[in-house]
Amino acid sequence: MPLELVSGPSFEPVSLADARRWLRLEDDDTANTPVLRMLIKAMREYAENLTHRAYVQRQYRLYAEGWPVDSDYGSRIELPFPPLASVDSVKYIDTSGTLITLAADQYVVHAEAEPAFVLPAYNVAWPAVRAVPDAVQVVFTAGYAPGSPPDEAAVQEVLPETLKLWMQSRMATLFENREQIIIGTIVNALPRDFVDGLLDNLTVGTRLF
C-alpha cells in the first residue's frame, strides 16, 4: 500500500547539545552544526528502517485500492511504523466518485498491536468503493507520545535510551571517519551485540501482541 508523509517530525531523538557532548565538542562549536544535524536525522531514519518503527511523531496517509481482506481478523487495515498515536481519518471514494469520511463509530482501532490495525465495528461492513488506486485513504499519526508540553525535551524523554545510545555511537563513528574506506588503518569494530544489538528489542515483531 502506498504511504505518503503528510507532516514530518518536529524534533529528533538526540539534541544538538547531546550530540556535541557525545562527540566531545565544545558547547559553542557551531561550525559542525550542519554536519551534526545531518547525522542525527540520518541515524534516526536508519534506526527506523532497521526496526520498522517510528520514534518521533509524524503524520502519514495510507492509500489502498480497496478494503483489505484477512482470513483471521476479517477485513483489516494494517498501519505501519508503530507505535500508533492516533487514527485521524478514514476516507473512501464511493461508487459515484465522491470522497467520503467514514464516521468514527464505523470502525475500531487496535493500537495495542504492532503494527496497529483498523477493523470494521461490530456488525458493520466496509462500504462499497470505486475501483481506483486511492479508493481507501487512512490518515494516521505514528510515533512515541511526547509529554506536555510537546517540546524537544519532552519528546526525547519518552524515547528508549537504547535508541539514543545507538544513534550517538553510530554518529561518533561517522563523524570521525567520513570516508567509506580507511587506508593504512587497522579498524576494530565494536561487536554487533553491543551496537546494533541495542535495537533488537525495538524491532517490530520481537514483542508480544
Coordinates of all heavy atoms in Angstrom, one line a residue, residues 8-104:
G8 N 6.2 15.9 8.7 CA 7.3 15.3 9.3 C 7.5 15.6 10.8 O 6.8 16.5 11.3
P9 N 8.5 15.0 11.4 CA 8.7 15.2 12.9 C 9.2 16.6 13.1 O 9.9 17.2 12.3 CB 9.7 14.1 13.2 CG 10.4 13.8 12.0 CD 9.3 13.9 10.9
S10 N 8.9 17.2 14.3 CA 9.3 18.5 14.7 C 10.7 18.4 15.4 O 11.4 19.4 15.4 CB 8.3 19.2 15.6 OG 7.0 19.3 14.9
F11 N 10.9 17.3 16.0 CA 12.2 17.2 16.8 C 12.8 15.8 16.5 O 12.2 14.9 15.9 CB 11.9 17.3 18.3 CG 11.2 18.5 18.7 CD1 9.8 18.5 19.0 CD2 11.9 19.7 18.8 CE1 9.1 19.7 19.4 CE2 11.2 20.9 19.1 CZ 9.9 20.9 19.4
E12 N 14.1 15.7 16.9 CA 14.8 14.5 16.8 C 15.1 13.8 18.1 O 15.0 14.5 19.2 CB 16.2 14.8 16.1 CG 16.0 15.3 14.6 CD 15.5 14.2 13.7 OE1 15.5 13.0 14.0 OE2 15.2 14.5 12.5
P13 N 15.4 12.5 18.1 CA 15.7 11.8 19.4 C 16.9 12.3 20.2 O 17.0 12.2 21.4 CB 15.9 10.3 19.0 CG 15.2 10.2 17.7 CD 15.4 11.6 17.0
V14 N 17.8 12.9 19.5 CA 19.1 13.4 20.1 C 19.2 14.9 19.8 O 19.1 15.3 18.6 CB 20.3 12.6 19.5 CG1 21.6 13.3 20.1 CG2 20.2 11.2 19.9
S15 N 19.4 15.7 20.8 CA 19.6 17.1 20.6 C 21.0 17.5 20.1 O 21.9 16.7 20.2 CB 19.3 17.9 21.9 OG 20.3 17.6 22.8
L16 N 21.1 18.7 19.6 CA 22.5 19.1 19.2 C 23.4 19.2 20.4 O 24.6 18.8 20.3 CB 22.4 20.5 18.5 CG 21.9 20.5 17.0 CD1 21.7 22.0 16.6 CD2 23.0 19.9 16.1
A17 N 22.9 19.6 21.5 CA 23.7 19.7 22.7 C 24.2 18.3 23.1 O 25.4 18.2 23.5 CB 23.0 20.4 23.8
D18 N 23.3 17.3 23.1 CA 23.8 16.0 23.5 C 24.8 15.4 22.5 O 25.7 14.7 22.9 CB 22.5 15.1 23.6 CG 21.7 15.3 24.8 OD1 22.2 16.0 25.7 OD2 20.5 15.0 24.8
A19 N 24.5 15.7 21.2 CA 25.5 15.2 20.2 C 26.8 15.8 20.4 O 27.9 15.1 20.3 CB 24.9 15.6 18.8
R20 N 26.9 17.1 20.7 CA 28.2 17.8 20.9 C 28.9 17.2 22.1 O 30.1 16.9 22.1 CB 28.0 19.3 21.1 CG 27.6 20.0 19.9 CD 27.7 21.5 20.1 NE 27.3 22.3 18.9 CZ 26.1 22.8 18.8 NH1 25.2 22.7 19.7 NH2 25.8 23.5 17.7
R21 N 28.2 16.9 23.2 CA 28.8 16.3 24.4 C 29.3 14.9 24.1 O 30.4 14.6 24.5 CB 27.8 16.3 25.5 CG 27.6 17.6 26.2 CD 26.8 17.4 27.5 NE 25.4 17.1 27.3 CZ 24.5 18.0 27.1 NH1 24.7 19.3 27.1 NH2 23.2 17.6 26.9
W22 N 28.6 14.1 23.3 CA 29.0 12.7 23.0 C 30.2 12.8 22.1 O 31.1 11.9 22.3 CB 27.8 12.0 22.3 CG 28.1 10.6 22.0 CD1 28.8 10.0 20.9 CD2 27.9 9.5 22.9 NE1 28.9 8.7 21.1 CE2 28.3 8.3 22.3 CE3 27.3 9.4 24.2 CZ2 28.2 7.0 22.8 CZ3 27.1 8.1 24.7 CH2 27.6 7.0 24.1
L23 N 30.3 13.8 21.2 CA 31.5 13.8 20.3 C 32.6 14.7 20.9 O 33.6 14.9 20.2 CB 31.0 14.5 19.0 CG 30.0 13.7 18.2 CD1 29.5 14.4 17.0 CD2 30.5 12.3 17.8
R24 N 32.5 15.1 22.1 CA 33.5 15.8 22.9 C 33.8 17.2 22.2 O 34.9 17.6 22.1 CB 34.8 15.0 23.0 CG 34.6 13.7 23.8 CD 35.9 13.0 24.0 NE 35.8 11.8 24.7 CZ 35.5 10.6 24.2 NH1 35.4 10.5 22.9 NH2 35.4 9.5 25.0
L25 N 32.7 17.8 21.6 CA 32.9 19.1 21.0 C 32.5 20.2 22.1 O 31.7 19.9 23.0 CB 32.0 19.2 19.8 CG 32.2 18.3 18.7 CD1 31.2 18.4 17.6 CD2 33.6 18.4 18.1
E26 N 33.0 21.4 21.9 CA 32.7 22.5 22.8 C 31.2 22.9 22.5 O 30.7 22.8 21.4 CB 33.6 23.7 22.5 CG 35.1 23.4 22.8 CD 35.3 23.1 24.3 OE1 34.6 23.6 25.1 OE2 36.3 22.4 24.6
D27 N 30.6 23.4 23.6 CA 29.2 23.8 23.5 C 29.0 24.9 22.5 O 27.9 25.0 21.9 CB 28.7 24.3 24.9 CG 28.6 23.1 25.9 OD1 28.6 22.0 25.4 OD2 28.5 23.4 27.1
D28 N 30.0 25.7 22.3 CA 29.8 26.9 21.3 C 30.4 26.5 20.0 O 30.6 27.4 19.1 CB 30.5 28.1 21.9 CG 32.0 27.9 22.1 OD1 32.5 26.7 22.0 OD2 32.7 28.8 22.5
D29 N 30.6 25.2 19.7 CA 31.1 24.8 18.4 C 29.9 24.8 17.4 O 29.1 23.8 17.4 CB 31.7 23.4 18.5 CG 32.3 22.9 17.1 OD1 31.9 23.5 16.1 OD2 33.0 21.9 17.1
T30 N 29.8 25.8 16.6 CA 28.7 25.9 15.6 C 29.1 25.5 14.2 O 28.3 25.4 13.4 CB 28.1 27.3 15.6 OG1 29.1 28.3 15.3 CG2 27.5 27.6 17.0
A31 N 30.4 25.4 14.0 CA 31.0 25.1 12.7 C 30.5 23.8 12.2 O 30.2 23.5 11.0 CB 32.5 25.2 12.7
N32 N 30.3 22.8 13.2 CA 29.9 21.5 12.8 C 28.4 21.3 12.9 O 27.9 20.1 12.7 CB 30.6 20.5 13.7 CG 32.1 20.3 13.4 OD1 32.4 19.8 12.3 ND2 32.9 20.6 14.3
T33 N 27.6 22.3 13.2 CA 26.2 22.2 13.3 C 25.5 21.5 12.1 O 24.7 20.6 12.3 CB 25.5 23.5 13.6 OG1 26.0 24.0 14.9 CG2 24.0 23.4 13.7
P34 N 25.8 21.9 10.9 CA 25.1 21.3 9.7 C 25.5 19.8 9.6 O 24.6 19.0 9.3 CB 25.7 22.1 8.5 CG 26.1 23.4 9.0 CD 26.6 23.1 10.4
V35 N 26.7 19.4 9.9 CA 27.1 18.0 9.9 C 26.3 17.2 11.0 O 25.8 16.1 10.7 CB 28.6 17.8 10.1 CG1 29.0 16.4 10.2 CG2 29.3 18.5 8.9
L36 N 26.2 17.8 12.2 CA 25.5 17.1 13.3 C 24.0 17.0 13.0 O 23.5 15.9 13.2 CB 25.7 17.9 14.6 CG 27.1 18.0 15.1 CD1 27.2 18.7 16.4 CD2 27.8 16.6 15.2
R37 N 23.4 18.0 12.4 CA 22.0 17.9 12.0 C 21.8 16.8 11.0 O 20.8 16.0 11.1 CB 21.5 19.2 11.5 CG 21.4 20.3 12.5 CD 20.6 21.5 11.9 NE 20.7 22.7 12.8 CZ 19.8 22.8 13.8 NH1 18.9 21.9 14.1 NH2 19.9 23.9 14.6
M38 N 22.7 16.7 10.0 CA 22.6 15.6 9.0 C 22.7 14.3 9.6 O 22.0 13.3 9.3 CB 23.6 15.9 7.9 CG 23.6 14.8 6.9 SD 25.0 15.1 5.6 CE 26.4 14.9 6.7
L39 N 23.7 14.1 10.5 CA 24.0 12.8 11.2 C 22.8 12.4 12.0 O 22.4 11.2 12.0 CB 25.3 12.9 12.0 CG 26.6 12.9 11.2 CD1 27.8 13.1 12.1 CD2 26.8 11.6 10.4
I40 N 22.3 13.3 12.8 CA 21.2 13.0 13.7 C 20.0 12.5 12.9 O 19.4 11.4 13.2 CB 20.8 14.2 14.6 CG1 21.9 14.5 15.6 CG2 19.5 13.9 15.3 CD1 21.7 15.8 16.3
K41 N 19.6 13.2 11.9 CA 18.5 12.8 11.0 C 18.7 11.5 10.3 O 17.9 10.6 10.3 CB 18.1 13.9 10.0 CG 16.9 13.5 9.2 CD 16.6 14.6 8.1 CE 15.4 14.3 7.3 NZ 15.1 15.3 6.3
A42 N 19.9 11.3 9.8 CA 20.2 10.1 9.1 C 20.2 8.9 10.0 O 19.7 7.8 9.6 CB 21.6 10.3 8.4
M43 N 20.8 9.0 11.2 CA 20.8 7.9 12.1 C 19.4 7.5 12.6 O 19.1 6.4 12.8 CB 21.7 8.2 13.3 CG 23.2 8.2 12.9 SD 23.8 6.6 12.1 CE 23.6 7.0 10.4
R44 N 18.5 8.6 12.8 CA 17.2 8.3 13.2 C 16.4 7.5 12.1 O 15.7 6.5 12.3 CB 16.4 9.6 13.5 CG 15.0 9.4 14.1 CD 14.0 9.7 13.1 NE 14.1 11.0 12.6 CZ 13.4 11.4 11.5 NH1 12.7 10.6 10.8 NH2 13.5 12.6 11.1
E45 N 16.6 8.0 10.9 CA 15.9 7.3 9.7 C 16.5 5.9 9.6 O 15.7 5.0 9.2 CB 16.2 8.1 8.4 CG 15.4 9.4 8.4 CD 15.7 10.3 7.2 OE1 16.7 10.0 6.5 OE2 14.9 11.2 6.9
Y46 N 17.8 5.7 9.8 CA 18.4 4.4 9.7 C 17.8 3.4 10.7 O 17.5 2.3 10.5 CB 19.9 4.5 9.8 CG 20.7 3.2 9.5 CD1 20.2 2.2 8.7 CD2 22.0 3.1 10.1 CE1 20.9 1.1 8.5 CE2 22.7 1.9 9.8 CZ 22.2 0.9 9.0 OH 22.9 -0.2 8.8
A47 N 17.7 4.0 12.0 CA 17.2 3.1 13.0 C 15.7 2.8 12.8 O 15.3 1.6 13.0 CB 17.3 3.9 14.4
E48 N 14.9 3.7 12.2 CA 13.5 3.4 11.9 C 13.4 2.4 10.8 O 12.5 1.5 10.8 CB 12.8 4.7 11.5 CG 12.6 5.6 12.7 CD 12.0 7.0 12.3 OE1 12.2 7.4 11.1 OE2 11.4 7.6 13.2
N49 N 14.4 2.4 9.8 CA 14.3 1.4 8.7 C 14.7 0.0 9.3 O 14.2 -1.0 8.9 CB 15.3 1.8 7.6 CG 14.8 2.9 6.8 OD1 13.5 3.1 6.7 ND2 15.6 3.7 6.2
L50 N 15.7 0.0 10.2 CA 16.1 -1.3 10.8 C 15.0 -1.9 11.7 O 14.9 -3.1 11.7 CB 17.4 -1.1 11.6 CG 18.7 -0.8 10.9 CD1 19.8 -0.5 11.9 CD2 19.0 -2.0 10.0
T51 N 14.3 -1.1 12.4 CA 13.3 -1.6 13.4 C 11.9 -1.6 12.9 O 11.0 -2.1 13.6 CB 13.4 -0.8 14.7 OG1 13.1 0.6 14.5 CG2 14.8 -0.9 15.3
H52 N 11.7 -0.9 11.8 CA 10.3 -0.7 11.2 C 9.4 0.0 12.2 O 8.2 -0.3 12.4 CB 9.7 -2.1 10.8 CG 10.6 -2.9 10.0 ND1 10.9 -2.6 8.7 CD2 11.3 -4.0 10.2 CE1 11.7 -3.5 8.2 NE2 12.0 -4.4 9.1
R53 N 10.0 1.0 12.9 CA 9.2 1.7 14.0 C 9.4 3.2 13.8 O 10.4 3.7 13.2 CB 9.8 1.3 15.3 CG 9.1 1.8 16.5 CD 9.8 1.2 17.8 NE 9.6 -0.2 17.9 CZ 8.6 -0.8 18.3 NH1 7.5 -0.1 18.8 NH2 8.5 -2.1 18.4
A54 N 8.4 4.0 14.2 CA 8.5 5.4 14.2 C 8.8 5.9 15.6 O 8.2 5.5 16.6 CB 7.2 6.1 13.7
Y55 N 9.8 6.7 15.7 CA 10.2 7.2 17.1 C 9.7 8.6 17.4 O 9.0 8.8 18.4 CB 11.7 7.2 17.2 CG 12.3 5.7 17.2 CD1 12.9 5.2 16.1 CD2 12.0 4.9 18.2 CE1 13.3 3.9 16.0 CE2 12.5 3.6 18.2 CZ 13.1 3.1 17.1 OH 13.5 1.8 17.1
V56 N 9.9 9.5 16.5 CA 9.4 10.9 16.7 C 8.1 11.0 15.8 O 8.0 10.5 14.7 CB 10.4 12.0 16.3 CG1 11.4 12.1 17.4 CG2 11.1 11.6 15.0
Q57 N 7.1 11.6 16.4 CA 5.8 11.6 15.8 C 5.7 12.3 14.4 O 6.3 13.4 14.2 CB 4.7 12.2 16.7 CG 4.4 11.3 17.8 CD 3.1 11.7 18.5 OE1 2.5 12.7 18.2 NE2 2.7 10.9 19.5
R58 N 5.0 11.7 13.5 CA 4.7 12.3 12.2 C 3.4 11.8 11.7 O 2.9 10.8 12.2 CB 5.9 12.1 11.2 CG 5.9 10.7 10.5 CD 6.3 9.6 11.4 NE 7.5 9.8 12.2 CZ 8.7 9.3 11.8 NH1 8.8 8.7 10.6 NH2 9.7 9.5 12.5
Q59 N 2.9 12.4 10.7 CA 1.6 12.0 10.1 C 1.7 11.4 8.7 O 2.5 11.9 7.9 CB 0.6 13.2 10.1 CG -0.9 12.8 9.8 CD -1.8 14.0 9.8 OE1 -1.6 14.9 9.0 NE2 -2.7 14.0 10.8
Y60 N 1.0 10.3 8.5 CA 1.1 9.6 7.2 C -0.3 9.5 6.6 O -1.3 9.6 7.4 CB 1.6 8.2 7.4 CG 3.0 8.0 7.7 CD1 3.5 7.6 8.9 CD2 4.0 8.3 6.7 CE1 4.8 7.4 9.2 CE2 5.4 8.1 7.0 CZ 5.8 7.7 8.2 OH 7.1 7.6 8.5
R61 N -0.4 9.3 5.3 CA -1.6 9.0 4.6 C -1.4 7.7 3.9 O -0.5 7.6 3.0 CB -2.1 10.0 3.6 CG -3.4 9.7 2.9 CD -3.9 10.8 2.0 NE -4.4 11.9 2.7 CZ -3.8 13.1 2.8 NH1 -2.6 13.3 2.2 NH2 -4.3 14.1 3.5
L62 N -2.2 6.6 4.2 CA -2.1 5.3 3.6 C -3.1 5.2 2.5 O -4.3 5.5 2.8 CB -2.2 4.2 4.7 CG -2.1 2.8 4.2 CD1 -0.6 2.4 3.9 CD2 -2.7 1.8 5.3
Y63 N -2.7 4.7 1.4 CA -3.6 4.5 0.2 C -3.8 3.1 -0.1 O -2.9 2.3 0.1 CB -3.1 5.2 -1.0 CG -3.0 6.7 -1.0 CD1 -1.8 7.4 -0.6 CD2 -4.1 7.5 -1.3 CE1 -1.7 8.7 -0.6 CE2 -4.0 8.9 -1.2 CZ -2.8 9.5 -0.9 OH -2.7 10.9 -0.9
A64 N -5.0 2.7 -0.5 CA -5.3 1.3 -0.9 C -6.3 1.3 -2.0 O -7.2 2.2 -2.1 CB -5.8 0.5 0.3
E65 N -6.3 0.3 -2.8 CA -7.3 0.2 -3.9 C -8.6 -0.2 -3.4 O -9.6 0.0 -4.1 CB -6.8 -0.8 -5.0 CG -5.5 -0.4 -5.7 CD -5.0 -1.4 -6.7 OE1 -5.7 -2.4 -6.9 OE2 -4.0 -1.1 -7.3
G66 N -8.7 -0.8 -2.3 CA -9.9 -1.3 -1.7 C -9.7 -1.7 -0.2 O -8.6 -1.6 0.3
W67 N -10.7 -2.2 0.4 CA -10.6 -2.7 1.8 C -9.9 -4.0 1.8 O -10.3 -5.0 1.1 CB -12.0 -2.9 2.4 CG -12.9 -1.6 2.3 CD1 -13.9 -1.5 1.5 CD2 -12.7 -0.4 3.0 NE1 -14.5 -0.2 1.6 CE2 -13.7 0.5 2.6 CE3 -11.8 0.0 4.0 CZ2 -13.9 1.7 3.1 CZ3 -12.0 1.3 4.5 CH2 -13.0 2.1 4.1
P68 N -8.8 -4.2 2.6 CA -8.0 -5.4 2.6 C -8.9 -6.5 3.2 O -9.8 -6.3 4.0 CB -6.8 -5.1 3.5 CG -6.7 -3.6 3.5 CD -8.1 -3.1 3.3
V69 N -8.6 -7.8 2.8 CA -9.3 -8.9 3.4 C -8.3 -9.8 4.0 O -7.2 -10.2 3.5 CB -10.0 -9.7 2.3 CG1 -10.7 -11.0 2.8 CG2 -11.1 -8.8 1.6
D70 N -8.5 -10.2 5.3 CA -7.7 -11.0 6.1 C -8.5 -12.2 6.6 O -9.5 -12.0 7.2 CB -7.0 -10.2 7.2 CG -6.0 -11.1 8.0 OD1 -6.4 -11.8 8.9 OD2 -4.8 -11.0 7.7
S71 N -8.0 -13.4 6.5 CA -8.8 -14.6 6.9 C -9.0 -14.7 8.4 O -9.9 -15.3 8.9 CB -8.2 -15.8 6.3 OG -6.9 -16.0 6.8
D72 N -8.0 -14.2 9.2 CA -8.0 -14.3 10.6 C -8.9 -13.2 11.3 O -9.6 -13.5 12.2 CB -6.6 -14.3 11.2 CG -5.8 -15.5 10.8 OD1 -6.4 -16.5 10.6 OD2 -4.6 -15.3 10.6
Y73 N -8.8 -12.0 10.8 CA -9.4 -10.9 11.5 C -10.5 -10.2 10.7 O -11.0 -9.2 11.0 CB -8.4 -9.9 12.0 CG -7.5 -10.3 13.0 CD1 -6.2 -10.8 12.7 CD2 -7.8 -10.4 14.3 CE1 -5.3 -11.2 13.6 CE2 -6.9 -10.8 15.3 CZ -5.7 -11.2 14.9 OH -4.8 -11.7 15.9
G74 N -10.8 -10.8 9.5 CA -11.8 -10.2 8.6 C -11.1 -9.2 7.8 O -9.9 -9.4 7.3
S75 N -11.7 -8.1 7.5 CA -11.1 -7.1 6.6 C -10.4 -6.0 7.4 O -11.1 -5.0 7.9 CB -12.2 -6.4 5.8 OG -11.7 -5.5 4.9
R76 N -9.1 -6.1 7.6 CA -8.4 -5.2 8.5 C -7.4 -4.3 7.7 O -6.8 -4.8 6.7 CB -7.7 -5.9 9.6 CG -6.5 -6.7 9.3 CD -5.9 -7.2 10.5 NE -4.7 -8.0 10.2 CZ -3.9 -8.5 11.1 NH1 -4.1 -8.4 12.4 NH2 -2.8 -9.2 10.8
I77 N -7.1 -3.1 8.1 CA -6.2 -2.2 7.5 C -5.0 -2.1 8.5 O -5.1 -1.6 9.6 CB -6.8 -0.9 7.3 CG1 -8.0 -1.0 6.4 CG2 -5.7 0.0 6.6 CD1 -8.8 0.4 6.3
E78 N -3.8 -2.6 8.1 CA -2.6 -2.5 9.0 C -2.0 -1.2 8.8 O -1.9 -0.7 7.7 CB -1.6 -3.6 8.6 CG -2.0 -5.0 9.2 CD -0.9 -5.9 9.2 OE1 0.2 -5.6 8.7 OE2 -1.0 -7.0 9.8
L79 N -1.5 -0.6 9.9 CA -0.9 0.7 9.9 C 0.6 0.6 10.3 O 0.8 0.2 11.4 CB -1.6 1.7 10.8 CG -3.1 1.8 10.6 CD1 -3.8 2.7 11.7 CD2 -3.4 2.4 9.2
P80 N 1.5 0.8 9.4 CA 2.9 0.6 9.6 C 3.5 1.6 10.6 O 2.9 2.6 11.0 CB 3.5 0.7 8.3 CG 2.7 1.7 7.5 CD 1.3 1.4 8.0
F81 N 4.7 1.3 11.0 CA 5.5 2.2 11.8 C 4.9 2.5 13.2 O 4.6 3.6 13.5 CB 5.9 3.5 11.1 CG 6.6 3.3 9.9 CD1 6.1 3.7 8.6 CD2 7.9 2.8 9.9 CE1 6.8 3.5 7.5 CE2 8.7 2.6 8.7 CZ 8.1 3.0 7.5
P82 N 4.8 1.4 14.0 CA 4.3 1.6 15.4 C 5.3 2.4 16.2 O 6.5 2.5 15.8 CB 4.1 0.2 15.9 CG 5.1 -0.6 15.1 CD 5.1 0.0 13.7
P83 N 4.9 2.9 17.4 CA 3.6 2.8 17.9 C 2.6 3.8 17.3 O 3.0 4.9 16.8 CB 3.8 3.2 19.4 CG 5.0 4.1 19.4 CD 5.9 3.6 18.3
L84 N 1.3 3.4 17.2 CA 0.3 4.3 16.7 C -0.1 5.3 17.7 O -0.5 4.9 18.8 CB -0.9 3.4 16.2 CG -2.1 4.2 15.7 CD1 -1.8 4.9 14.4 CD2 -3.3 3.3 15.6
A85 N -0.1 6.5 17.3 CA -0.6 7.6 18.2 C -2.1 7.8 18.0 O -2.8 8.0 19.0 CB 0.2 8.9 18.0
S86 N -2.5 7.9 16.8 CA -4.0 8.1 16.5 C -4.3 7.8 15.1 O -3.4 7.9 14.2 CB -4.3 9.6 16.8 OG -3.6 10.5 16.0
V87 N -5.6 7.4 14.9 CA -6.1 7.4 13.5 C -6.9 8.7 13.3 O -7.9 8.9 14.0 CB -7.0 6.2 13.3 CG1 -7.7 6.2 12.0 CG2 -6.2 4.9 13.4
D88 N -6.5 9.5 12.4 CA -7.0 10.9 12.3 C -8.2 10.9 11.3 O -9.1 11.7 11.5 CB -5.9 11.8 11.8 CG -4.7 11.8 12.7 OD1 -4.9 11.7 14.0 OD2 -3.6 11.7 12.3
S89 N -8.3 10.0 10.3 CA -9.4 9.9 9.5 C -9.4 8.7 8.6 O -8.3 8.2 8.3 CB -9.6 11.2 8.6 OG -8.5 11.2 7.6
V90 N -10.5 8.1 8.3 CA -10.6 7.1 7.3 C -11.6 7.5 6.2 O -12.8 7.8 6.5 CB -11.2 5.8 8.0 CG1 -11.4 4.7 6.9 CG2 -10.3 5.3 9.1
K91 N -11.1 7.6 5.0 CA -11.9 8.1 3.9 C -12.0 7.1 2.8 O -11.1 6.2 2.7 CB -11.3 9.4 3.4 CG -11.3 10.6 4.4 CD -10.8 11.9 3.8 CE -10.8 13.0 4.9 NZ -10.4 14.3 4.3
Y92 N -13.0 7.2 2.0 CA -13.1 6.3 0.8 C -13.8 7.0 -0.3 O -14.6 7.9 -0.1 CB -13.9 5.0 1.2 CG -15.3 5.2 1.6 CD1 -16.3 5.0 0.6 CD2 -15.7 5.6 2.9 CE1 -17.7 5.2 0.9 CE2 -17.0 5.8 3.2 CZ -18.0 5.6 2.2 OH -19.3 5.8 2.5
I93 N -13.5 6.5 -1.5 CA -14.2 7.0 -2.7 C -15.4 6.1 -3.0 O -15.1 4.9 -3.3 CB -13.2 7.2 -3.9 CG1 -12.1 8.2 -3.5 CG2 -14.0 7.7 -5.1 CD1 -11.0 8.3 -4.6
D94 N -16.6 6.6 -2.9 CA -17.7 5.7 -3.2 C -17.9 5.4 -4.7 O -17.2 5.9 -5.5 CB -19.0 6.2 -2.5 CG -19.5 7.5 -3.2 OD1 -19.0 7.9 -4.2 OD2 -20.5 8.1 -2.7
T95 N -18.9 4.6 -5.0 CA -19.0 4.2 -6.4 C -19.4 5.3 -7.3 O -19.2 5.2 -8.5 CB -20.1 3.1 -6.4 OG1 -21.3 3.6 -5.8 CG2 -19.7 1.8 -5.7
S96 N -19.9 6.4 -6.8 CA -20.2 7.6 -7.6 C -19.0 8.5 -7.8 O -19.0 9.5 -8.5 CB -21.3 8.4 -7.0 OG -20.9 9.0 -5.8
G97 N -17.8 8.2 -7.1 CA -16.6 9.0 -7.2 C -16.5 10.1 -6.2 O -15.6 11.0 -6.3
T98 N -17.3 10.1 -5.1 CA -17.3 11.1 -4.1 C -16.4 10.6 -2.9 O -16.5 9.5 -2.5 CB -18.7 11.4 -3.5 OG1 -19.5 11.8 -4.6 CG2 -18.6 12.5 -2.5
L99 N -15.5 11.5 -2.5 CA -14.6 11.2 -1.3 C -15.4 11.4 0.0 O -15.9 12.5 0.2 CB -13.4 12.0 -1.3 CG -12.3 11.8 -0.2 CD1 -11.8 10.4 -0.3 CD2 -11.2 12.8 -0.3
I100 N -15.6 10.4 0.8 CA -16.4 10.4 2.0 C -15.6 10.1 3.2 O -14.8 9.1 3.1 CB -17.6 9.5 1.8 CG1 -18.5 9.9 0.7 CG2 -18.4 9.4 3.1 CD1 -19.7 9.0 0.4
T101 N -15.8 10.8 4.3 CA -15.1 10.5 5.5 C -16.0 9.5 6.3 O -17.2 9.8 6.6 CB -14.9 11.8 6.4 OG1 -14.1 12.7 5.6 CG2 -14.2 11.4 7.7
L102 N -15.4 8.4 6.7 CA -16.2 7.3 7.4 C -16.3 7.8 8.9 O -15.3 8.2 9.5 CB -15.4 6.0 7.3 CG -16.1 4.8 7.8 CD1 -17.4 4.5 6.9 CD2 -15.2 3.6 7.7
A103 N -17.5 7.7 9.4 CA -17.7 8.0 10.8 C -16.9 7.2 11.7 O -16.7 6.0 11.5 CB -19.2 7.9 11.1
A104 N -16.4 7.7 12.8 CA -15.5 7.0 13.7 C -16.2 5.8 14.4 O -15.5 4.9 14.8 CB -15.0 8.0 14.8

